[in-house]
Each structure stands twice: as structure tokens, then as C-alpha cells.
Amino acid sequence: MPSTSLKRTTPSSTSTTDLKASIKRVKKTPVTEDADSESEEYQQTPMSVLKELFSGLKEQVDAIEKWQGKLQTMKVSKALDPAQFSEIFSGKGTLKQPTPTNNPKSAVTMISFNPDQTIELFGNRWKNNALKGVEWSVGGPYPGTPFPFTLKSVQGHAVPVVVKSMEASYSKKTKKVTLKFECTAGQRYRILHNGRKMMIKD
């Protein structure tokens, strides 16, 4: 009977490269954010944007300890999508730039607002959250006398803070709006040693 030769077989080995490739195929793909998803500020409504801008202004008003009848400049900035900036500010105030006669190709839009236009833009939020400050007299050296003396700054009472003007500036490159407010409150006066109030004209 012919002898039968048994051939010994061994399982084929998997190379290191093939193993890594296999692991790579089954590895879970990380979840990425949708490139088209909009950021939070782009999803805000016009009302919420104006609320945030007003709150920023109010914080700066409250931070001023003494109001003495002089103009105070305050700036509030926020990132906005171009379409949303247009929705909120287009057709409001007075367009300064770009216009056919002033920087017609400018990427920066500038709009000026008088007091009435500013209140109209913010609406009831402005009316219901009146800005207030504390009036103080002007202290320091009292000039114009043979013997100059120093007056103290005396605290007065709460007075409304009035916005004299506002300017909105929007850059298409940075996609950011900046509101510049010119505000004042109270009168300019000194309290003399005899308690008499003397108005200051400057």
C-alpha cells in the first residue's frame, strides 16, 4: 500500500501593516461639527442683540462714580453676521459711509444717530431701563481769587444719563459692530464754602 505523505500546513500570518490597516478601518470616525452651522451670535434675534448692546452700555454708565456735566465716551462691540447687521441697522439713523460721495468702496459702514433715533432703535428697552448716574459738584482749586483755595467735590442726587449721539461702525472684514455713545448727566457747578452753588461755563 503506497505510503501517504501528510503535508503539514500552518496558518498564514498577518503582517503588521495589514493589522494596522484593519484596525484603522474599524476605528470609529470622530464626530466633527457641521461646517455650515452658525455660531451663537449669528442665531440671536435682533431684540436679543439690542438687549446685549444696551446691557453693555448700562454697565459702563454704572461704572462711572461721578457725573459732572461733561461728555463721556463709551464703546460697546459685538460680533454680528453681515445679514443680521443689515436687518438691525439698515434704514436707521443717517448713513455716513459708504455713500456715493464719501468712501463709496469702503468695507466699513458708519451710521450716525441723534438722541431720538437712538431711542427709536432700542425701543422700549431704552425707555424701560432709563440710564441713571449720580451727580457730583466739581472740586479742586478755585481760581480767580487773591488767595486760591481748594473746593471739595460734593455728592448730589441721582440724575438721568442722556445720550447726545451714537455712531454705529461695522467692518465686513472683522464682522464686528462697534457702537460709540456720547453721554452726559447732571450740571457743571461748584459748591462754595458758604454752600452756594456756582455754575461753570466751559
Side-chain angles (χ1 to χ4, degrees):
M1 183 176 178
S3 61
T4 303
S5 175
L6 298 176
K7 188 176 181 180
R8 189 177 181 181
T9 60
T10 58
S12 60
S13 61
T14 304
S15 67
T16 303
T17 303
D18 292 340
L19 182 59
K20 287 182 178 180
S22 176
I23 294 174
K24 201 170 189 179
R25 282 193 298 270
V26 299
K27 188 177 181 180
K28 186 177 180 180
T29 303
V31 178
T32 58
E33 295 183 0
D34 185 358
D36 295 329
S37 64
E38 296 180 335
S39 62
E40 181 181 353
E41 59 262 27
Y42 295 170
Q43 297 173 347
Q44 286 184 277
T45 64
M47 183 179 296
S48 64
V49 170
L50 290 171
K51 176 182 177 181
E52 185 174 332
L53 291 170
F54 181 86
S55 296
L57 171 62
K58 192 173 187 303
E59 286 179 5
Q60 294 189 41
V61 167
D62 293 342
I64 295 180
E65 181 182 356
K66 296 181 179 182
W67 288 90
Q68 297 175 314
K70 293 195 73 173
L71 281 178
Q72 300 278 0
T73 300
M74 303 175 191
K75 293 183 178 181
V76 183
S77 298
K78 178 172 176 57
L80 280 182
D81 180 83
Q84 192 164 26
F85 171 80
S86 179
E87 181 181 4
I88 297 173
F89 293 94
S90 181
K92 309 290 196 311
T94 302
L95 180 64
K96 296 175 61 178
Q97 163 182 312
T99 66
T101 57
N102 186 33
N103 298 327
K105 297 182 180 180
S106 177
V108 177
T109 300
M110 298 176 67
I111 307 173
S112 63
F113 294 80
N114 61 32
D116 290 338
Q117 291 170 333
T118 302
I119 293 175
E120 182 182 357
L121 176 69
F122 284 91
N124 290 333
R125 175 154 303 281
W126 191 280
K127 297 175 184 178
N128 297 336
N129 296 272
L131 301 173
K132 293 182 179 180
V134 179
E135 181 182 64
W136 286 70
S137 68
V138 178
Y142 180 58
T145 61
F147 305 98
F149 52 87
T150 300
L151 297 173
K152 292 183 179 180
S153 180
V154 180
Q155 181 176 347
H157 54 278
V159 292
V161 174
V162 179
V163 174
K164 294 292 186 179
S165 66
M166 184 188 82
E167 182 179 87
S169 177
Y170 182 77
S171 171
K172 293 181 180 178
K173 293 181 180 179
T174 61
K175 294 184 179 180
K176 184 173 72 174
V177 64
T178 298
L179 303 184
K180 183 176 78 171
F181 298 89
E182 296 287 347
C183 306
T184 186
Q187 297 177 311
R188 285 188 64 71
Y189 60 90
R190 293 185 175 95
I191 299 294
L192 303 181
H193 289 300
N194 59 9
R196 186 170 61 90
K197 179 186 291 188
M198 186 185 72
M199 304 305 298
I200 300 174
K201 296 179 180 180
D202 54 9

